[in-house]
Amino acid sequence: MRAVVIDDSGFMRRAVEKMLASDPEIEVVGRGRNGLEAIELAKTLEPDVMTLDIEMPEMDGLTALRRIMRESPCKVVMVSSLTTEGSVAALRALRLGAADVVAKDHSTFSIHIDDIRDELVHKVKALATEAKRVRSAAKRPRLAGKPAAFDKPTGPRAKDVSLAGQRFELVCIGSSTGGPPVLERVLPAIPAGFASPIVIAQHMPEVFTQSMARRLNELCPLEVRHGAEGDEPAPGTITICPGGKHTHLKHVATGRLRLHVTDEPAADVFKPSASVLFESAAQACAGPVLGVVLTGIGEDGKRGAQAIRDAGGTILAQSADSCVVYGMPRAVDDAGLTHASVDPDGLARALASLARAAA
């Protein structure tokens, strides 16, 4: 797995390279100090993955990212400061084509370096594997009428899925790598008058989920809130689970649902975990739940999707060819839990069909 590291700080370049080199499967083949060097290295070295800082002299990371995505596309992980300003820039980078983000907190970097290393290595390996898989699939002979870009998914595929006539007490969405731009594409298409609360678990730090909630609230007809302990998701609203912790749904005496935000269970390393959210929703809701699994690394959401199915709910997954990483959707597809696998536009139409049914 070939990686390139771009950062204007010599200390950070060495630190990131050391983190990546700690895994024998990753080889750092190039290093750069600014966006201009990033563009050139992407073109000449054709890496599987590039780590790219945002704030750099001569040319910043966002400007370089635009050029890289246009001229020499590769999987890019942005390294962004753990601040409100850094989170806004990171979300912008994801809209420009970055695959994922790793947040750095300069004040605690040396203390939490092991956690940062594990996260960075995990993401780089997953993205490099995806890049190699797509390239390999594209080179295989294409059978008539069959797309060659992706391995055949096991879940049922559909261009459009109508949910008209169905009623769901709650809609839960699990999202990870590549997810924020998909959410920005799907959620604004849901018209006012949507009858169910929507709750979303996106793998990100809390300052990032706060910025994402503000951004989505500007784009969506529905009100978008950043969740907190004790909040009660209301029909026709979208709640973003706070990053860095798990969100459980509890049934309360009023007949409503309430958020319980906690670090437990510690075994679920993705925070907020889609499976934790899905499982608690299946248990707390008297009526059926709609679970949606978007692009992401790993298998988070699989266990929770099983709970939703066992309780009589429905699972939709993002289609393979529209995913940045076909990990989370593939896990539910392979387990036979998916009712349909559709692209983001198809997911938007499916959710909009629920609103039309309720009108």
Side-chain angles (χ1 to χ4, degrees):
M1 299 181 180
R2 303 170 74 254
V4 165
V5 176
I6 308 294
D7 199 296
D8 65 312
S9 163
F11 168 78
M12 281 300 302
R13 283 198 306 276
R14 290 188 295 272
V16 171
E17 180 172 359
K18 185 177 180 180
M19 291 180 203
L20 297 179
S22 68
D23 190 291
E25 294 186 66
I26 302 175
E27 178 187 7
V28 177
V29 296
R31 306 146 196 84
R33 296 168 295 179
N34 56 55
L36 291 172
E37 294 182 5
I39 293 168
E40 183 62 25
L41 289 170
K43 187 181 301 182
T44 58
L45 296 180
E46 298 183 345
D48 299 310
V49 181
M50 173 182 288
T51 69
L52 183 60
D53 192 17
I54 292 180
E55 297 180 5
M56 295 182 293
E58 296 189 58
M59 181 183 286
D60 64 87
L62 294 179
T63 304
L65 178 64
R66 288 192 195 91
R67 291 271 305 273
I68 291 169
M69 290 297 106
R70 185 169 65 245
E71 300 171 9
S72 310
C74 65
K75 300 290 187 182
V76 175
V77 177
M78 304 303 294
V79 180
S80 177
S81 59
L82 192 62
T83 62
T84 299
E85 182 179 351
S87 66
V88 170
L91 291 171
R92 188 178 175 197
L94 293 172
R95 293 195 293 274
L96 292 173
D100 211 333
V101 178
V102 171
K104 60 178 177 182
D105 185 344
H106 292 286
S107 64
T108 61
F109 182 82
S110 59
I111 300 173
H112 298 292
I113 194 166
D114 288 343
D115 293 336
I116 297 170
R117 180 191 62 220
D118 291 346
E119 179 188 6
L120 180 63
V121 168
H122 182 67
K123 290 181 175 180
V124 165
K125 290 183 70 173
L127 290 169
T129 299
E130 188 77 3
K132 288 178 178 293
R133 184 179 71 82
V134 172
R135 284 200 300 268
S136 175
K139 292 177 182 177
R140 291 199 293 267
R142 182 177 299 190
L143 300 176
K146 299 290 186 180
F150 286 85
D151 295 337
K152 181 182 178 182
T154 58
R157 288 178 287 179
K159 183 177 180 180
D160 273 305
V161 175
S162 177
L163 300 174
Q166 299 190 50
R167 295 290 187 272
F168 295 98
E169 185 175 345
L170 180 73
V171 176
C172 290
I173 300 176
S175 177
S176 185
T177 300
V182 177
L183 293 171
E184 288 190 13
R185 191 167 167 181
V186 171
L187 298 179
I190 304 173
F194 196 74
S196 306
I198 300 173
V199 182
I200 300 170
Q202 167 70 50
H203 299 163
M204 275 187 165
E206 185 169 7
V207 68
F208 283 47
T209 55
Q210 288 172 339
S211 293
M212 187 175 75
R214 287 192 293 269
R215 164 75 178 174
L216 288 170
N217 194 47
E218 295 172 354
L219 298 176
C220 296
L222 302 181
E223 179 186 357
V224 181
R225 307 168 175 174
H226 190 254
E229 173 68 26
D231 283 356
E232 295 185 1
T237 65
I238 300 170
T239 300
I240 307 297
C241 297
K245 294 183 179 181
H246 297 306
T247 294
H248 304 252
L249 288 164
K250 304 288 186 181
H251 183 83
V252 294
T254 60
R256 299 282 292 275
L257 298 170
R258 181 172 293 167
L259 302 188
H260 175 51
V261 181
T262 175
D263 285 324
E264 298 299 326
D268 285 278
V269 295
F270 293 110
K271 295 181 180 180
S273 164
S275 276
V276 169
L277 176 66
F278 286 13
E279 284 180 315
S280 65
Q283 184 175 8
C285 291
V289 174
L290 173 62
V292 181
V293 181
L294 301 183
T295 173
I297 295 169
E299 296 191 348
D300 185 33
K302 175 182 172 181
R303 190 182 73 240
Q306 182 68 67
I308 288 176
R309 284 294 301 260
D310 290 346
T314 297
I315 299 295
L316 300 181
Q318 186 175 343
S319 60
D321 56 355
S322 66
C323 288
V324 171
V325 178
Y326 180 49
M328 288 168 53
R330 182 168 204 155
V332 295
D333 283 347
D334 287 351
L337 301 173
T338 309
H339 287 85
S341 180
V342 291
D343 65 19
D345 290 335
L347 290 170
R349 287 190 291 269
L351 292 174
S353 71
L354 279 176
R356 289 196 298 273

